[in-house]
Amino acid sequence: MPEAKTEAETYAAERTALRNERPVHSLQPVWTAVDDYFGGLLAPGDQALDAALAANAQAGLPPIDVTRLQGKLLAVLAHLTRARRILEIGTLGGYSTIWLARAAGPEGRVVTLEFNPLHAEVARANLRNAGVLDRVELRQGRALDSLAALAAERPQPFDLIFIDADKAGNTEYFQWSLQLARPGTAIVVDNVVRDGKVVEAGTDDKDVEGVRRFAKALAAEPRVTAAAVQTVGAKGYDGFVLAVVLP
Ligand code: SAH
Ligand code: DHB
Ligand code: MG
């Protein structure tokens, strides 16, 4: 009898199956080469980031971290907003968290929310190895619960918020983010294009439904102004929303 799969193994297998359904783009080799080119110049691999990806793979985490250039973009946005307080929703193995924590600086603080205990454990080890665990507060649990608990603590507002968890929750994560923000806070929402699936008719994809519900709420939200940016790169065709809270 084969051993029963752990929840993490089932999750990883499902993610792999989903990724394999995605279209093969004819320009993918060029996108990867260009990512390697600029990534090599502007975000050269370093020991801690490379080790984090290796540890994630070793633990069977799905390889859905931001790319290194996307990590660098998060760091640039953190510097642009002079971010000292950063909130991340969706930690995975902490790859994006390392980028954010480094950009926040030694006096900065990153609060990152992760549901999956295995992901949280791997992330903690990766953050420790990167020397930034002291400036990261990893809260394990459902993001909706963690956000409610966090808001009840009435913390100082966050300067930058990165939403990158289950896409079905985007709208609620965005609403909580507004409560935890101040005028000028930047909010980034990952994976809003999904190979163009966002505009495909007749999809019952829960992630796509989540993105569309979020996009509608975003458009109707007077407290922010926002753009959506389509991206290609080593991890294919996707995109993100960048919003800023208005004065
Ligand atoms: N930001 C990471 C990638 C995050 S992947 C990086 O770029 O490196 C999305 C993560 O969100 C997964 O680890 C998943 O377990 C987590 N997640 C999914 N649903 C969640 C929920 N309801 N609450 C908190 N985390 C959740
Ligand atoms: C998925 C999630 C992500 O955050 C991402 O960047 C890519 C893919 C996913 O759930 O498939
Ligand atoms: Mg993502």
Side-chain angles (χ1 to χ4, degrees):
M1 267 255 299
E3 273 180 39
K5 272 191 177 161
T6 66
E7 201 179 335
E9 284 165 347
T10 306
Y11 175 79
E14 281 171 5
R15 298 317 319 174
T16 304
L18 278 175
R19 270 189 311 283
N20 290 342
E21 273 174 27
R22 289 190 186 156
V24 177
H25 300 283
S26 60
L27 286 174
Q28 183 59 60
V30 183
W31 299 344
T32 302
V34 172
D35 244 9
D36 285 349
Y37 172 69
F38 281 112
L41 289 170
L42 306 177
D46 58 64
Q47 192 276 329
L49 288 169
D50 294 346
L53 293 182
N56 290 356
Q58 181 67 35
L61 271 50
I64 56 175
D65 341 64
V66 293
T67 64
R68 58 179 166 163
L69 271 182
Q70 287 165 350
K72 185 66 184 294
L73 176 61
L74 289 174
V76 169
L77 287 170
H79 286 290
L80 257 177
T81 55
R82 294 181 166 79
R84 287 293 166 271
R85 293 183 44 80
I86 300 177
L87 173 64
E88 176 179 66
I89 306 172
T91 317
L92 189 66
Y95 183 80
S96 53
T97 323
I98 294 173
W99 281 104
L100 291 168
R102 285 176 173 175
E107 305 302 316
R109 190 136 196 94
V110 179
V111 176
T112 185
L113 313 180
E114 175 55 52
F115 170 69
N116 185 305
L118 172 66
H119 296 187
E121 182 192 323
V122 173
R124 231 176 235 114
N126 287 336
L127 291 161
R128 187 178 297 114
N129 182 51
V132 294
L133 187 60
D134 57 334
R135 60 184 93 155
V136 176
E137 186 185 332
L138 200 166
R139 295 186 179 206
Q140 198 245 307
R142 286 175 64 237
L144 277 180
D145 299 335
S146 301
L147 286 163
L150 185 59
E153 293 164 22
R154 306 213 158 253
Q156 291 290 305
F158 290 94
D159 309 307
L160 173 65
I161 301 176
F162 180 43
I163 300 178
D164 191 22
D166 59 307
K167 313 310 169 190
N170 272 351
T171 308
E172 287 69 32
Y173 302 152
F174 184 69
Q175 293 302 334
W176 278 115
S177 295
L178 289 175
Q179 286 209 34
L180 294 162
R182 54 156 175 84
T185 295
I187 304 175
V188 180
V189 183
D190 200 21
N191 312 116
V192 298
V193 175
R194 316 299 294 243
D195 280 310
K197 282 203 189 89
V198 68
V199 297
E200 265 172 33
T203 177
D204 57 358
D205 184 317
K206 287 279 168 290
D207 289 348
V208 172
E209 280 173 10
V211 169
R212 286 184 187 155
R213 192 164 62 86
F214 159 65
K216 207 169 157 189
L218 176 67
E221 177 52 64
R223 287 173 287 178
V224 304
T225 191
V229 181
Q230 303 187 60
T231 59
V232 295
K235 294 201 173 165
Y237 170 41
D238 210 328
F240 61 91
V241 157
L242 176 58
V244 63
V245 179
L246 294 168

